[in-house]
Amino acid sequence: MTATAGRRFLDLRALATLSRMRFAPRHRIEGSYSGKHQSHAKSGSGEFVDYREYVAGEDLRRLDWKVLARTGRAYVRLYQEETNLVCTLVIDASGSMRFGANDSRRDGGTKLKYVQFLASSLAHLIGCQQDQVGLAVVSDGLASFLPPGGTSGHVARVLDAVESMETVPVTRLGNGIRELYQRLSQRGVLVVMSDFLDEDLEDAFRAIRLFRHRQFEVILLHIIHPDEERLPSGTAFRFAGLENDGMVDASTAEIHDLYSQQFETHVATVRSLALGTGCEYRRVSTAIPYLQTLGSFLVERSG
Amino acid sequence: MAFLNPWAIIVGILAAGLPVLIHWLTRPRPVVFELSTVRFVLQAIQQRKARHRLRDFLILAARTAAIVLLAIAVARPLFGRKASTLEEETGSATRVVLLDVSQSMAARSGGIQAFERARSLAANHLAFRPDLLGDLILAGATARPVFERPSSNFGALRDELGKAGPRPERLNVQAALSAAVRLLTSGSGGASERRELVIISDFQRRQWASADFSVLPQGTILKLEFTGAAETPPNVGILRIGSTGRAEQGRGFQIEVEVGNYTTASRRIEVELTFGEASYRAEGVCLADGRTTLVTEAVPRAIGWQIGRAKLIANDDALPEDDERAFVIDVRPPPVFALLTRQNANARPTSSYYLERALVPTEVRDNRPSPRVVRFDPNEVDRELLSTADLIVLDHPGQLSGEMLAKFSDLLRRGKGVFYIASEAADAANLKRLTDQAGMRLRLPVEFAPAPRAQARTMQFIADYRRDAPPFQIFGDTLASVLAPLRFSTDLVTRSLPDALADDVRATYGDRNACLVISTSGAGSLAILNADLGSSNLVASPAFVPLVGELTALLLGNRSIAAPVASGEPFAISLPTDAGAPSGLSIVPPSAETEVIEERSGPTLRASSASVPGVMRIMRGDQAVFAIAAAVPDQESDLTPLTSNVLQGRLVGDRRVSYRDANQLEDEEDTLWAWLLMGCLTCTVGELIILRAFRI
């Protein structure tokens, strides 16, 4: 635990309330080691789950001799294999994630900062439950990648990487995820934390769809800042883009409703694409404390 | 298209730019705000633009149209003609503005005096320009230029223009044009200098119909500015006040008031006349665009010069100034006749005997001579009494002296009547010498001469006569039967003179010799009856007394109300013989322009300019010895203008002329101005409606 102490985005005392909770996948997974999560494989070890008729050629060691003796029929005993969780955290480090720096109400809480807290906590919890956690930072491509690992040292590196993240003005979420796909060789859980303010959203989801084809469980955490949902009130604003969008002068009173419609359409599009791709979608507002968000997330996942 | 106020275009542009400037200066400074979702802002703006493109276009169009319409409205565009301020031509020029200040310019139409319209037009023409010399002529009875030569001091000209106003005078067009010619030709420039004459007037038909523009220098540019009303304003005015019969104390006489109705409908006219202590009223109907003479009988109570006023009652018209007019009546005592004859007063029957009785037929005599008929022997004439007599009657006077004939000539000129019964050779000589003495003033239609001895001229009858003229007029249809039995005897024959007025021969004998001749000399009249009453049966005829009465009334002058002098115009009037010497005479009210002077013919009242309408009295002590009324000539009452076609075509000929009706100018400008403002208002309201519609 010394590896996680003194982290900037990790509050162990706050996380103590969540220490008993586990991050579990909804489906059977494929792990490297034995663990607490159900694996795809059914082998001779593990917990008994069922009988199946013997097929010629099968390993005779799995034949239930007692049943054969009583019934004269050959049955094989099936056991559920348990493995560990391999989870990769994908963090969007595009410029738009820097939004919220001027928000005095939330002590300058940018979306990235919120994600950093959330990812650090999640990585810590995954590490604590003997599972493997990796980190991929994407912006205009795959900026950095730490393959999943389960050691405390690995978790410490993940936390270091989270702390040292810097935003890049350009977003190519699809490119980054596609590169990640080429780097990941093992199935697992992919947790994508992004605002999905990508010019080519379709491309991003095409990349995500690759993971889904490989039976990855993909969880999309859509990070939304409350100031993005509705424009600030006032007569004249000069809006400066965070991703080389230039500047736009506008009176928020005139476009307030239209903007809100546009944003809600964007959120709905992301949700629709996510669900259409078979991903789990969660709308995460930075207005809600990250511990509360994490808690509710784990409550759903702990089952 | 030109603009009356072109500066308004610049002001309009500035006014249009002012809101933009204010908006730019007060616009809120935008707050820089970093936003991750700028693309949504852009999309929202694009979407809003697409939605409001039509609205923005309509609002922009409405705002632009409102500003443009407002600017044009203030600029006052003049379609189809040039504004006076814009039709300036370059180069040096001399401009003379001839402004009509006659009485008719005081006529009001729509509450605006024609002169006020004229003043503003004149002010436009008297705007300063570096290469322009100008002058202003205030044209009334006389032309009054502000400067003797055109000047560049337009400020002074405009000051004089501001002080000017309509005067109670008629317009002397030719005097005004002559003054304009003098000013135009006195300019410092050479022949190349442009000359402009701007005439601003109501162009009354009766004043301008005879205007002669040929006196203007060649190349003069004429600008005619009509300032009268669009439609001739209705006007009713008193044109003349006169009388029939001699005004005598205690005896009735008729006062005539001629009224002009210059309207399109018949009117009932009511005139109140006051003079002395009495008041009279005359009523009648005057047809549209016509004249009528109202008559009322008045009885003077006092002798002397009586001042009266005639006033139209309940008359609401364009020119109130001509609704009232002053007049003077010379109320005389019963006339006194001076009978000059060599016949004995007691001899009867003689010609003078019958004549004396016919002159005062109603006088009770009791075998005493009448005090109203004073007999004189021509050799023993009391000249003072002769002057005070109202009528001089000569009957068989014999050969008169040259001095006596000169006296008669002078009395005739000054208004005294002379009744000459001529039948002798001496009478023919007297008349010949009297005619010579009077010179051009007396032009008898015939020359009298003694009849040849062989030719006995008895039993002459009247063969030809003028039945419609005095003294035969009163006999009416009975005239023929009255004159038929009359037979006359005379020793004179007559010979017609060339270049004489044949109408002065009122009756002719059967042998074509003149029987009765009535002619004028100066202010007096001379009647000559070619007959010897003593040997004629006229004295036995019932027509004798009325015939003599008519003749004496004619010679005494049946105009007790003298024609007034024209206000503002010069005049010279010989004072009556009983006015006496000029010394000791005073003029009331005093006038620096009027004086009484002694001329060879006697005292004369002379004025370079008659006073304003009213009465001028010549006093000797407290006694008025003469009075004369001043009035505006009646042509000022007729406000009918001369049409522009006549002015430009017939009168002005082929000169370079522009005619402008200020009345139409105002109407069009006002109409257009109002419509433009209405359009501006509509655009503004339309903008609000558009905003509201798109908000929904």
Side-chain angles (χ1 to χ4, degrees):
Chain A
M1 299 302 287
T2 53
T4 57
R7 296 291 172 181
R8 187 177 156 204
F9 297 111
L10 188 62
D11 187 353
L12 292 176
R13 277 185 292 181
L15 277 176
T17 57
L18 303 176
S19 59
R20 294 180 180 275
M21 303 187 76
R22 292 176 57 232
F23 173 61
R26 291 190 188 280
H27 308 288
R28 291 171 186 169
I29 56 172
E30 185 178 316
S32 304
Y33 310 102
S34 63
K36 296 177 180 178
H37 308 285
Q38 290 182 338
S39 171
H40 287 289
K42 288 186 173 64
S43 58
S45 61
E47 189 176 350
F48 169 79
V49 291
D50 202 358
Y51 288 100
R52 177 170 57 78
E53 282 191 65
Y54 175 78
V55 178
E58 279 190 287
D59 187 2
L60 291 174
R61 287 179 296 177
R62 295 172 62 187
L63 191 67
D64 192 338
W65 293 104
K66 290 179 180 179
V67 173
L68 178 64
R70 278 198 304 270
T71 63
R73 291 184 176 184
Y75 286 93
V76 177
R77 295 170 67 96
L78 295 178
Y79 296 89
Q80 175 63 56
E81 192 173 336
E82 290 186 335
T83 185
N84 66 339
L85 171 70
V86 178
C87 179
T88 305
L89 303 177
V90 180
I91 297 178
D92 179 5
S94 65
S96 60
M97 291 295 285
R98 193 160 48 86
F99 179 74
N102 298 325
D103 189 353
S104 58
R105 294 170 299 177
R106 296 174 184 85
D107 194 21
T110 64
K111 290 189 285 184
L112 183 64
K113 196 172 179 181
Y114 188 91
V115 166
Q116 283 172 315
F117 273 106
L118 191 62
S120 297
S121 302
L122 193 57
H124 172 72
L125 289 174
I126 291 171
C128 288
Q129 64 187 34
Q130 305 301 315
D131 291 325
Q132 291 180 322
V133 62
L135 178 67
V137 178
V138 294
S139 53
D140 56 340
L142 186 60
S144 62
F145 174 65
L146 286 174
T151 63
S152 59
H154 181 78
V155 172
R157 283 198 297 277
V158 169
L159 294 179
D160 287 341
V162 169
E163 279 189 22
S164 61
M165 266 197 303
E166 292 292 336
T167 58
V168 175
V170 183
T171 305
R172 294 282 186 273
L173 202 56
N175 292 351
I177 293 174
R178 204 170 281 113
E179 284 181 42
L180 176 64
Y181 177 76
Q182 292 167 358
R183 304 277 289 272
L184 275 178
S185 56
Q186 197 173 10
R187 292 181 198 170
V189 176
L190 193 69
V191 179
V192 181
M193 302 176 194
S194 171
D195 55 8
F196 295 100
L197 293 173
D198 195 333
E199 287 185 1
D200 195 353
L201 205 57
E202 292 285 343
D203 183 57
F205 276 90
R206 273 196 296 274
I208 290 171
R209 207 170 286 127
L210 296 173
F211 283 93
R212 286 295 299 147
H213 286 164
R214 199 192 276 182
Q215 301 299 313
F216 265 80
E217 182 176 348
V218 181
I219 301 167
L220 302 184
L221 299 182
H222 191 173
I223 311 298
I224 295 172
H225 196 281
D227 286 347
E228 288 177 327
E229 294 182 82
R230 58 182 55 85
L231 289 174
S233 58
T235 52
F237 282 92
R238 175 165 293 169
F239 296 109
L242 297 174
E243 297 181 6
N244 298 330
D245 296 324
M247 291 191 173
V248 178
D249 288 340
S251 173
T252 56
E254 294 178 350
I255 59 168
H256 184 272
D257 293 341
L258 287 173
Y259 171 84
S260 296
Q261 283 179 8
Q262 290 285 337
F263 188 79
E264 287 304 321
T265 304
H266 164 72
V267 172
T269 304
V270 172
R271 184 173 182 276
S272 174
L273 287 171
L275 296 178
T277 314
C279 306
E280 182 181 339
Y281 174 83
R282 289 187 70 88
R283 175 172 175 159
V284 177
S285 172
T286 59
I288 300 170
Y290 76 96
L291 285 174
Q292 187 179 338
T293 302
L294 186 61
S296 61
F297 177 66
L298 291 178
V299 165
E300 289 181 18
R301 284 279 163 178
S302 60
Chain B
M1 182 178 66
F3 293 95
L4 193 64
N5 303 319
W7 49 266
I9 296 290
I10 299 169
V11 174
I13 293 169
L14 293 176
L18 199 60
V20 178
L21 182 66
I22 291 171
H23 172 76
W24 186 76
L25 290 174
T26 60
R27 71 192 163 96
R29 299 284 178 263
V31 177
V32 178
F33 190 88
E34 287 190 332
L35 186 66
S36 57
T37 52
V38 168
R39 79 182 70 165
F40 299 145
V41 174
L42 279 170
Q43 286 172 1
I45 290 172
Q46 292 290 335
Q47 193 175 345
R48 182 181 172 279
K49 276 184 181 175
R51 183 179 168 187
H52 292 97
R53 187 170 295 158
L54 177 62
R55 187 200 72 168
D56 292 344
F57 173 75
L58 291 174
I59 288 175
L60 178 65
R63 283 180 183 168
T64 308
I67 291 169
V68 168
L69 289 173
L70 184 65
I72 294 174
V74 176
R76 300 180 77 177
L78 308 173
F79 292 101
R81 62 183 182 279
K82 293 179 176 179
S84 60
T85 50
L86 292 177
E87 59 184 1
E88 306 291 348
E89 296 178 22
T90 56
S92 62
T94 300
R95 176 180 295 166
V96 174
V97 177
L98 196 160
L99 178 62
D100 184 355
V101 295
S102 65
Q103 179 73 78
S104 61
M105 292 291 281
R108 289 179 177 274
S109 174
I112 303 173
Q113 220 175 37
F115 187 82
E116 291 306 321
R117 284 194 287 264
R119 195 201 302 273
S120 63
L121 284 173
N124 286 340
H125 288 290
L126 293 175
F128 175 78
R129 214 181 66 192
D131 50 357
L132 181 68
L133 294 176
D135 205 344
L136 173 67
I137 298 175
L138 302 174
T142 56
R144 303 174 183 85
V146 175
F147 295 129
E148 288 306 310
R149 292 170 65 86
S151 165
S152 59
N153 190 354
F154 285 95
L157 292 177
R158 291 168 78 99
D159 286 346
E160 288 297 321
L161 178 66
K163 295 174 194 168
R167 301 170 68 98
E169 301 172 2
R170 73 179 175 94
L171 171 64
N172 188 339
V173 174
Q174 281 315 126
L177 288 177
S178 299
V181 170
R182 185 171 54 77
L183 291 173
L184 286 170
T185 53
S186 66
S188 56
S192 61
E193 187 184 65
R194 196 173 70 253
R195 297 187 178 103
E196 295 178 3
L197 175 59
V198 182
I199 301 176
I200 304 172
S201 172
D202 55 1
F203 294 111
Q204 276 182 284
R205 183 178 57 191
R206 296 184 61 183
Q207 306 281 15
W208 288 91
S210 58
D212 180 14
F213 288 87
S214 63
V215 297
L216 295 175
Q218 285 296 320
T220 302
I221 299 170
L222 265 177
K223 296 179 180 176
L224 307 176
E225 302 269 16
F226 174 69
T227 60
E231 293 184 5
T232 305
N235 187 42
V236 177
I238 297 175
L239 307 181
R240 182 185 66 84
I241 299 173
S243 65
T244 55
R246 177 184 164 90
E248 294 178 8
Q249 184 185 19
R251 181 182 162 197
F253 77 110
Q254 288 184 328
I255 300 178
E256 299 172 342
V257 181
E258 189 177 9
V259 179
N261 176 16
Y262 302 104
T263 67
T264 55
S266 298
R267 284 219 184 180
R268 177 157 192 81
I269 309 294
E270 196 172 350
V271 180
E272 185 181 59
L273 294 122
T274 55
F275 73 91
E277 303 267 325
S279 176
Y280 304 92
R281 186 161 289 202
E283 295 178 354
V285 175
C286 188
L287 297 177
D289 200 18
R291 296 180 175 205
T292 189
T293 301
L294 307 178
V295 180
T296 187
E297 185 165 311
V299 181
R301 300 296 175 196
I303 295 174
W305 293 93
Q306 305 286 321
I307 298 170
R309 300 196 79 81
K311 185 179 179 183
L312 286 170
I313 297 174
N315 182 45
D316 184 18
D317 59 5
L319 193 61
E321 285 80 0
D322 62 359
D323 291 353
E324 191 170 355
R325 186 175 278 238
F327 60 94
V328 292
I329 305 175
D330 183 15
V331 181
R332 311 285 294 188
V336 174
F337 304 98
L339 178 58
L340 272 71
T341 180
R342 290 180 189 277
Q343 292 178 334
N344 189 340
N346 297 321
R348 68 182 72 172
T350 58
S351 174
S352 61
Y353 174 82
Y354 295 118
L355 191 61
E356 183 180 349
R357 278 147 186 80
L359 288 172
V360 281
T362 58
E363 187 97 356
V364 179
R365 297 179 182 277
D366 295 336
N367 293 322
R368 288 175 300 184
S370 168
R372 290 176 52 201
V373 179
V374 184
R375 276 177 172 266
F376 291 102
D377 187 304
N379 296 325
E380 299 171 355
V381 172
D382 183 339
R383 294 180 185 278
E384 199 62 37
L385 279 174
L386 195 65
S387 298
T388 57
D390 295 295
L391 181 67
I392 299 167
V393 183
L394 294 104
D395 181 27
H396 294 90
Q399 189 79 27
L400 294 173
S401 65
E403 185 187 1
M404 183 62 70
L405 289 169
K407 180 70 175 176
F408 287 156
S409 173
D410 182 45
L411 291 173
L412 265 173
R413 184 183 59 78
R414 294 168 72 173
K416 199 72 79 178
V418 176
F419 184 18
Y420 203 128
I421 294 95
S423 59
E424 300 173 341
D427 295 328
N430 288 339
L431 287 170
K432 171 69 175 165
R433 289 163 60 202
L434 179 64
T435 307
D436 295 342
Q437 192 77 39
M440 292 299 292
R441 288 198 306 273
L442 180 60
R443 300 290 300 274
L444 290 175
V446 293
E447 185 182 38
F448 290 86
R453 287 189 177 278
Q455 187 178 345
R457 299 200 67 248
T458 57
M459 299 302 285
Q460 296 287 329
F461 62 92
I462 297 176
D464 194 12
Y465 47 86
R466 290 191 59 198
R467 63 169 63 243
D468 57 341
F472 305 117
Q473 194 178 12
I474 60 160
F475 292 103
D477 295 339
T478 62
L479 181 60
S481 60
V482 167
L483 296 182
L486 296 182
R487 294 294 179 268
F488 296 89
S489 174
T490 180
D491 292 336
L492 299 179
V493 294
T494 59
R495 182 173 64 85
S496 296
L497 294 175
D499 303 329
L501 196 60
D503 284 351
D504 285 352
V505 180
R506 303 293 172 96
T508 311
Y509 289 124
D511 57 0
R512 310 309 302 163
N513 286 303
C515 170
L516 179 63
V517 173
I518 300 174
S519 188
T520 58
S521 174
S525 297
L526 169 66
I528 305 167
L529 178 63
N530 183 13
D532 183 359
L533 294 180
S535 54
S536 302
N537 67 352
L538 174 64
V539 295
S541 165
F544 179 54
V545 172
L547 200 64
V548 172
E550 280 296 295
L551 276 171
T552 54
L554 180 67
L555 297 173
L556 283 170
N558 57 6
R559 286 192 175 183
S560 298
I561 301 176
V565 294
S567 178
E569 297 184 28
F571 69 89
I573 298 174
S574 295
L575 295 181
T577 51
D578 52 3
S583 60
L585 294 177
S586 60
I587 300 170
V588 178
S591 170
E593 296 170 329
T594 311
E595 58 182 348
V596 178
I597 58 171
E598 181 65 53
E599 289 190 341
R600 193 166 59 89
S601 58
T604 302
L605 177 65
R606 191 170 66 182
S608 58
S609 171
S611 63
V612 294
V615 172
M616 184 186 302
R617 288 181 296 169
I618 310 301
M619 308 291 289
R620 185 176 294 282
D622 296 334
Q623 184 74 30
V625 296
F626 183 71
I628 186 74
V632 180
D634 59 358
Q635 55 259 50
E636 287 296 315
S637 296
D638 186 358
L639 302 175
T640 310
L642 204 61
T643 61
S644 62
N645 292 339
V646 174
L647 261 179
Q648 294 182 84
R650 184 163 64 82
L651 295 183
V652 183
D654 57 352
R655 289 176 187 277
R656 187 176 164 190
V657 179
S658 66
Y659 179 90
R660 196 167 61 152
D661 187 342
N663 211 3
Q664 287 180 0
L665 179 68
E666 285 179 3
D667 284 350
E668 288 180 23
E669 281 172 357
D670 284 344
T671 305
L672 191 58
W673 182 74
W675 280 108
L676 288 169
L677 271 190
M678 187 66 76
C680 176
L681 189 64
T682 306
C683 289
T684 309
V685 173
E687 181 186 329
L688 294 175
I689 293 171
I690 291 165
L691 280 171
R692 191 168 185 79
F694 276 83
R695 190 176 297 167
I696 293 169

